Amino acid sequence: MQLSKFPRATLAHLPTPLEYMPRLSEHLGGPDIYVKRDDCTGLASGGNKTRKLEFSMGEALALGADTIITVGAIQSNHVRQTAAAACKLGLACEVMLEHRVQQPSDTYSNSGNVFLDRIYGANLHEYPAGTDFDAVMAEIADEVSSKGGTPYYIPGGASNAVGALGYVQCGVELLSQCEQQNLAFDHIVTATGSAGTHAGLAVGLRGSGSDLPILGFGVNAPQDVQEERVFKLAVETADLVSAPGCVTRDDIVADCNYIGSGYGEPTESMNEAILMLARQEGLLFDPVYSGKALAGMIDYIRKDRFSKGQKIVFLHTGGSAGLFAYSDSLRT
Ligand SMILES: *Cc1c(COP(=O)(O)O)cnc(C)c1O
């Protein structure tokens, strides 16, 4: 695998810390639980998109782009980090925001991530769920070009092979931290949505010869759809880093039983998980992704699917800015 040949913008604080969570581990009475702190990537209050954007933005700059176009839900963490990265690099940012949540509260529509998008001065366009974003994107790109600009499109979650390189690098970084700290994990757990994190991680680990099992907790799609999405992107990413075939279909495992009624819709177990991590470890998780993945991990421990004597690492993908958008619906 060769990552150094890809253009890259410097955006993230790396390496992110790898920390033990003693109080949570004791509280749950199961495995030793560690956290990989990708909530601490630094930009715009942190999160996993910043690692991906180092490569997406690197390519945009290499191609001479001056305007980024991207897409996400109203409370998209990806959009927030993209808007901030565009500011840092002196690029304009056009955003297509999709209304994906049923009957959003006023807070959901205006606080949290979308509030920060406005602070970053991103040009926000809002659309109903199910909009054909390829068509809208083409229109926006035409408009940018007609004014003499050079657009660069970053897909939702920066989840194409270029963006996934950020998580190939994260996999490599984690292995080197394990070596330094003399740690061997039995499992890595992450939230999985637009798939770039899960796919990149799989390539980073398998491409480095690690067989560490990866479990993704899904946040929107059913298991078969999510696993196929991740696998397809992992194959493309493995090809891009000249490690074709390093990830097999069996490497990709997603559990999509903790979504509740839909993407971004609160669940009781997510609410419990967020309060538990805050009160045991002082950490902030998010209602849409990391909170639901934590709920899954906690349930696995309670059901003894992860057990005493094992070591688990949870990849904290960030998103705490989204908490503020859910202040009406989260029980404290
Ligand atoms: C986007 C996001 C994820 C999911 O990552 P994907 O690469 O889209 O699968 C997980 N957690 C948070 C906080 C996110 O913003």
Side-chain angles (χ1 to χ4, degrees), residues 18 46 58 87 116 120 129 160 174 185-186 236 238 285 309 320:
L18 174 63
C87 290
L116 298 181
Y120 288 121
N160 53 12
L174 178 70
F185 290 111
D186 296 289
E236 286 170 31
F285 285 79
S320 61

Coordinates of all heavy atoms in Angstrom, one line a residue, residues 18 46 58 87 116 120 129 160 174 185-186 236 238 285 309 320:
L18 N -5.3 7.1 21.4 CA -5.9 5.8 21.6 C -5.9 5.6 23.1 O -4.9 5.6 23.7 CB -5.1 4.6 21.0 CG -5.5 3.2 21.2 CD1 -6.9 2.9 20.7 CD2 -4.5 2.2 20.6
G46 N -14.2 18.5 15.2 CA -13.7 17.1 15.0 C -14.7 16.2 14.3 O -15.8 16.5 14.0
G58 N -7.3 17.4 -1.0 CA -5.9 17.3 -1.7 C -6.1 17.2 -3.2 O -5.5 17.9 -4.0
C87 N -13.2 26.7 4.1 CA -12.7 28.0 4.6 C -11.2 28.0 4.8 O -10.5 28.9 4.4 CB -13.4 28.3 6.0 SG -15.1 28.7 5.8
L116 N -23.5 25.7 12.5 CA -22.1 25.9 12.2 C -21.8 26.0 10.7 O -21.0 26.8 10.3 CB -21.3 24.7 12.7 CG -21.3 24.5 14.3 CD1 -20.5 23.3 14.7 CD2 -20.9 25.8 15.0
Y120 N -19.7 29.1 9.0 CA -18.6 28.9 8.0 C -19.0 29.6 6.7 O -18.1 29.6 5.8 CB -18.3 27.4 7.8 CG -17.5 26.9 9.0 CD1 -18.1 25.8 9.7 CD2 -16.3 27.4 9.4 CE1 -17.4 25.2 10.8 CE2 -15.7 26.9 10.5 CZ -16.2 25.8 11.2 OH -15.6 25.3 12.3
A129 N -36.4 15.0 0.9 CA -35.8 13.7 0.8 C -36.1 13.1 -0.5 O -37.1 13.3 -1.2 CB -36.5 12.8 1.9
N160 N -16.1 8.1 -1.3 CA -15.6 7.4 -2.5 C -14.2 6.9 -2.2 O -13.7 7.0 -1.0 CB -15.6 8.4 -3.7 CG -14.8 9.7 -3.4 OD1 -14.1 9.8 -2.4 ND2 -14.9 10.6 -4.3
L174 N -3.6 3.1 13.6 CA -4.0 2.3 14.8 C -3.0 1.1 15.0 O -2.7 0.8 16.1 CB -5.4 1.7 14.5 CG -6.0 0.9 15.6 CD1 -6.3 1.7 16.9 CD2 -7.2 0.1 15.2
F185 N -5.9 -6.1 20.0 CA -7.3 -6.1 20.2 C -8.0 -7.4 19.6 O -7.4 -8.0 18.6 CB -7.9 -4.9 19.5 CG -7.6 -3.6 20.2 CD1 -6.7 -2.7 19.6 CD2 -8.1 -3.3 21.4 CE1 -6.4 -1.5 20.3 CE2 -7.8 -2.2 22.1 CZ -6.9 -1.2 21.6
D186 N -9.1 -7.7 20.1 CA -9.9 -8.8 19.6 C -10.9 -8.3 18.5 O -11.4 -9.1 17.7 CB -10.7 -9.5 20.7 CG -9.7 -10.2 21.7 OD1 -9.0 -11.2 21.3 OD2 -9.5 -9.6 22.8
E236 N -12.8 -1.0 -4.5 CA -12.3 0.1 -5.2 C -11.1 0.8 -4.5 O -10.1 1.2 -5.2 CB -13.4 1.2 -5.4 CG -14.5 0.9 -6.3 CD -15.6 1.9 -6.2 OE1 -15.4 3.1 -5.9 OE2 -16.8 1.5 -6.4
A238 N -9.0 -0.6 -2.3 CA -7.9 -1.5 -2.4 C -7.2 -1.4 -3.7 O -5.9 -1.4 -3.8 CB -8.3 -3.0 -2.1
F285 N -20.8 11.7 22.6 CA -21.1 10.9 21.4 C -22.2 11.6 20.7 O -22.8 12.6 21.2 CB -21.3 9.5 21.7 CG -20.0 8.7 22.0 CD1 -19.4 8.9 23.3 CD2 -19.4 8.0 21.1 CE1 -18.2 8.2 23.6 CE2 -18.2 7.3 21.4 CZ -17.6 7.5 22.6
G309 N -12.0 -10.5 29.4 CA -10.7 -11.1 28.9 C -10.4 -10.6 27.5 O -9.3 -10.7 27.1
S320 N -20.4 15.2 18.0 CA -21.1 15.8 19.2 C -21.8 17.1 18.9 O -22.7 17.5 19.6 CB -20.1 15.9 20.3 OG -19.0 16.8 20.0

